[in-house]
Amino acid sequence: MAAQRKVGGLGKGLDALFGDVEISSPKTAAKTEKTEETPAEGGVLYIDINEIKPNAAQPRKNFDEEKLRELADSIEQHGLIQPVVLRKADRGYEIVAGERRYRAARLIGLKELPCIVKTLTDEENMLLAIIENMQREDLNPIEEAEGLKQMIDKYGLTQEQVSVSVGKSRPYITNSLRLLKLPEYVRNLTAEGRISMGHARALAGVKDKDKQISLAGRAAEEGLSVRQIEKLAAADGGKKKPLQKKEAKSPDEKRVEEDLKQSLGTKVNLTRRGSKGRIEIEFYSDEELERLIEMLRSLGK
């Protein structure tokens, strides 16, 4: 069994957890199990996978099935090189770091995993789970923000303390937490990777929720850059358009809009002011604009 190594502080992340510890062979581990009921702090022991359960404080909620399969194939070919970090639970052990490795190992039917058992408080357990995922960039921006918020809400840490703990700047923490105030539709697009954290941060500065949703949809469907979204977000200073303050449209106006939408194949907006008004036809690319122009020209022939 390898020599023990003292954890020097949570801010040091996984380096403090793993250090230079070496994994003992299954045969050596089996002998260790017979002589020790619990592995020494910092040592490595092979533990029955059925004695291990996922971390309830795991900030990561989504696991890419394809990437998990790739990891499983790698483990099957090369073995599990890095141990899973556990802590004692009421029954068996709870994962602190390494849930992807645990899930991949189950896919290929491994019966034992190389593990390090640590003595941790609930706060340390959650913090190390967040650190592991952030260092590996395994969390999507929304999962990361939810994990940071839990550190503040559940354990009473300040943003400054969170900043030091996870090794991120204070502005980074603040901007990350702002993402949780976005509409659910925008948060989902961010979590799914259809828009980036940069897009989400730009949208977080828009006051109008409807505009946030509209711009997020365009970014996802049209592949708009963060810079383009920033320009569109700043187009009206984040203020609501006068149209959004008007009364609901009449059934006749809605029917006209729907008829035009069906005829032109794109969104149409009808605005009336007394007996006057205007019709706005939306397009999302140069090709679509040309198509609409040709359709309108053909009406005059």
Side-chain angles (χ1 to χ4, degrees):
M1 185 175 295
Q4 301 176 31
R5 179 171 177 172
K6 186 178 180 181
V7 176
L10 293 179
K12 295 183 180 180
L14 299 183
D15 289 338
L17 274 176
F18 297 123
D20 299 321
V21 70
E22 297 178 0
I23 300 174
S24 56
S25 67
K27 291 183 178 179
T28 303
K31 292 180 181 179
T32 306
E33 283 186 302
K34 293 178 181 178
T35 57
E36 290 184 354
E37 186 174 346
T38 302
E41 182 80 11
V44 176
L45 184 70
Y46 277 73
I47 294 177
D48 187 332
I49 198 168
N50 293 316
E51 293 294 313
I52 302 170
K53 65 180 181 179
N55 188 347
Q58 164 69 263
R60 188 177 189 187
K61 307 303 179 186
N62 301 308
F63 293 84
D64 187 291
E65 291 298 328
E66 183 177 348
K67 291 183 178 179
L68 205 58
R69 186 70 250 181
E70 291 175 357
L71 177 59
D73 291 341
S74 176
I75 293 173
E76 190 168 32
Q77 183 176 359
H78 304 290
L80 186 55
I81 298 172
Q82 191 174 61
V84 176
V85 181
L86 310 174
R87 71 168 181 165
K88 286 287 290 182
D90 292 337
R91 296 181 62 183
Y93 300 89
E94 182 181 53
I95 297 172
V96 176
E99 186 166 338
R100 283 186 73 248
R101 279 163 274 155
Y102 162 80
R103 287 172 177 259
R106 292 196 75 96
L107 283 178
I108 58 175
L110 287 188
K111 296 181 179 180
E112 295 178 322
L113 298 182
C115 303
I116 299 175
V117 179
K118 309 295 293 185
T119 301
L120 301 169
T121 65
D122 288 343
E123 182 178 347
E124 290 169 333
N125 174 40
M126 182 189 68
L127 181 54
L128 287 176
I130 293 173
I131 288 174
E132 186 213 22
N133 284 292
M134 289 181 68
Q135 286 185 351
R136 289 186 169 85
E137 298 183 351
D138 281 342
L139 297 178
N140 67 57
I142 301 303
E143 288 174 332
E144 181 178 288
E146 289 173 341
L148 297 174
K149 187 174 188 296
Q150 188 178 9
M151 292 171 66
I152 294 171
D153 293 347
K154 189 171 183 178
Y155 296 105
L157 300 183
T158 65
Q159 287 193 24
E160 184 64 32
Q161 289 171 321
V162 172
S163 170
V164 173
S165 296
V166 300
K168 297 288 186 179
S169 69
R170 173 69 181 276
Y172 181 96
I173 303 300
T174 301
N175 287 328
S176 182
L177 293 173
R178 290 177 67 199
L179 302 186
L180 298 179
K181 297 181 180 180
L182 290 167
E184 182 179 6
Y185 173 73
V186 183
R187 296 199 307 273
N188 288 341
L189 289 181
T190 307
E192 293 165 6
R194 297 181 62 191
I195 63 175
S196 69
M197 179 185 284
H199 288 104
R201 285 181 175 178
L203 293 169
V206 178
K207 297 179 181 179
D208 184 351
K209 298 292 184 183
D210 290 335
K211 187 170 184 178
Q212 287 177 326
I213 293 172
S214 174
L215 291 178
R218 290 189 59 183
E221 296 298 327
E222 302 173 40
L224 299 181
S225 68
V226 174
R227 179 62 62 186
Q228 287 174 308
I229 289 297
E230 288 174 342
K231 289 182 178 180
L232 290 170
D236 64 355
K239 297 179 181 179
K240 291 185 178 181
K241 297 179 180 179
L243 175 62
Q244 295 173 318
K245 298 180 181 179
K246 290 183 174 294
E247 296 180 359
K249 295 177 181 178
S250 70
D252 287 339
E253 290 171 335
K254 291 181 179 179
R255 178 179 53 78
V256 171
E257 284 184 341
E258 185 60 30
D259 289 344
L260 290 173
K261 176 182 177 181
Q262 295 297 324
S263 299
L264 298 176
T266 188
K267 185 177 179 180
V268 176
N269 183 52
L270 173 65
T271 305
R272 293 196 61 172
R273 290 177 183 154
S275 59
K276 297 181 180 181
R278 64 183 180 185
I279 295 175
E280 295 177 331
I281 304 172
E282 292 193 8
F283 61 91
Y284 303 99
S285 66
D286 291 340
E287 291 76 11
E288 187 171 18
L289 174 59
E290 292 178 4
R291 178 184 69 81
L292 291 170
I293 292 174
E294 288 300 319
M295 288 185 66
L296 294 174
R297 281 176 176 168
S298 66
L299 296 177
K301 295 181 180 179

